[in-house]
Amino acid sequence: MALSKSHRVTMNDGNTIPVLGLGTYAPRSVPKSEGEMATKVAIEVGFRHIDGAFLYENEKEVGQAIRAKIADGTVTRKDIFYTGKLWNTYHRPELVRPALEETLKNLQLDYIDLYIIHCPMSFKPGKDMIPFDENQKVISDSVDLRDTWEAMEKCKDAGLVKSIGVSNFNRRQLEMILNKPGLKYKPVCNQVECHPYLNQSKLLEFCKSNDIILVAYSSLGTHREAPWVDQNSPIVLEDPVLGAIAKKHNRTPAQVAIRYQIQRGLVVLAKSFTEKRIKENFQVFDFQLTPEDMKAIDGLNKNLRYLIFKQLLNLEFKF
């Protein structure tokens, strides 16, 4: 995966994506204004890839930040790569375009660069993001995701989005899309949880073999927000192996974790609401991990997932 001078790589549809992006998800305890601030700071220090989602409920604030940095001349619209996500309650084909149009309205943008199916699970359409029945179980919806994908393709053809992809898909689910009769566009990416404790090596190999870019979220571990995350799980950035490698290179463990994924050929999302850390997270293009470093970090894999969707939602699905 060849890096351009602007730290971009080419996707299977010919469009390019910056290899390092800012994640904009924030726990409910974080004010929406923090997302706007973080996005502005990120653009100022060099981030050009902003990863958002309808689910995060801060698209308006993130859009304000992007437009402000365009207005003050820091960037042009073409410099910015924005990712949006189709939430689970909008998987019915007739709901896909309206969902994307809602995101565009929130952002006050004419198009977005990448639109991805957020999860391979369909929920009952309606006002509730996660609809529960009287027994507090999530109400699912029966939708063939191949039909959802066709509606995504139409959004690309309409010029509302430049590239389309998926998130949280396993190999079987990716194959379902890739083997779909009449497929017009392959997914350009699959965004999944990926960090030194969950290195997704098999999924990465499969995606590379099909010219699909793997995008890593929770690349630094996670925000550890209950109930999404097991509070007893180990903290990636406190791992002594990562710490020793960071010390050797005079870097932070976070910088090493990000650089590790870039050298494996992934696109990486890093999230922070602290100006100092946002700046540090972008300073990963002026050093190289050795083959020994990479092997040592590979050895940290525990197949440990921080995000416990299944337990929370009481759904039977596999990632």
Side-chain angles (χ1 to χ4, degrees), residues 7 17 20 31 58 75 84 94 115-116 121 132 139 146 150 173 193 196 227 233 256 269 282 298 302 309:
H7 312 307
I17 183 172
L20 181 57
N58 61 1
V75 289
E94 66 273 18
Y115 199 45
I116 61 182
M121 308 171 287
F132 290 99
I139 306 172
R146 290 169 293 191
E150 276 190 23
Q173 291 155 342
E193 179 181 346
S233 55
V256 170
L269 304 176
F282 195 74
D298 282 341
K302 307 174 190 292
F309 294 113

Side-chain angles (χ1 to χ4, degrees), residues 115 141 190 205 225-226 232 297:
Y115 199 45
D141 195 27
N190 183 22
E205 184 180 346
E225 180 189 11
N232 296 316
I297 300 172

Side-chain angles (χ1 to χ4, degrees), residues 54 85-104 112 115-118 122 125 143-156 160-161 164-165:
F54 181 73
K85 302 184 186 79
L86 178 75
W87 183 237
N88 305 10
T89 52
Y90 294 92
H91 283 179
R92 293 182 185 181
E94 66 273 18
L95 299 179
V96 172
R97 179 165 176 161
L100 175 52
E101 289 173 338
E102 181 71 17
T103 282
L104 292 171
I112 58 174
Y115 199 45
I116 61 182
I117 298 175
H118 202 149
S122 303
V143 180
D144 188 330
L145 290 176
R146 290 169 293 191
D147 296 334
T148 308
W149 187 252
E150 276 190 23
M152 297 276 285
E153 292 177 325
K154 289 176 182 175
C155 288
K156 176 175 164 72
L160 300 178
V161 59
I164 52 176

Side-chain angles (χ1 to χ4, degrees), residues 50-66:
I50 310 298
D51 181 84
F54 181 73
L55 176 69
Y56 303 166
E57 298 182 318
N58 61 1
E59 288 179 322
K60 290 180 180 178
E61 290 77 12
V62 171
Q64 285 170 3
I66 293 171

Side-chain angles (χ1 to χ4, degrees), residues 7 18-22 47-49 258 267-268 270 281-282 284-285:
H7 312 307
V19 297
L20 181 57
L22 176 79
F47 280 87
R48 296 294 178 261
H49 177 177
I258 293 168
V267 167
V268 192
N281 289 347
F282 195 74
V284 294
F285 298 106

Side-chain angles (χ1 to χ4, degrees), residues 235-249:
I235 298 172
V236 167
L237 297 183
E238 293 180 0
D239 190 282
V241 172
L242 216 55
I245 294 171
K247 187 175 181 181
K248 182 177 77 169
H249 290 278

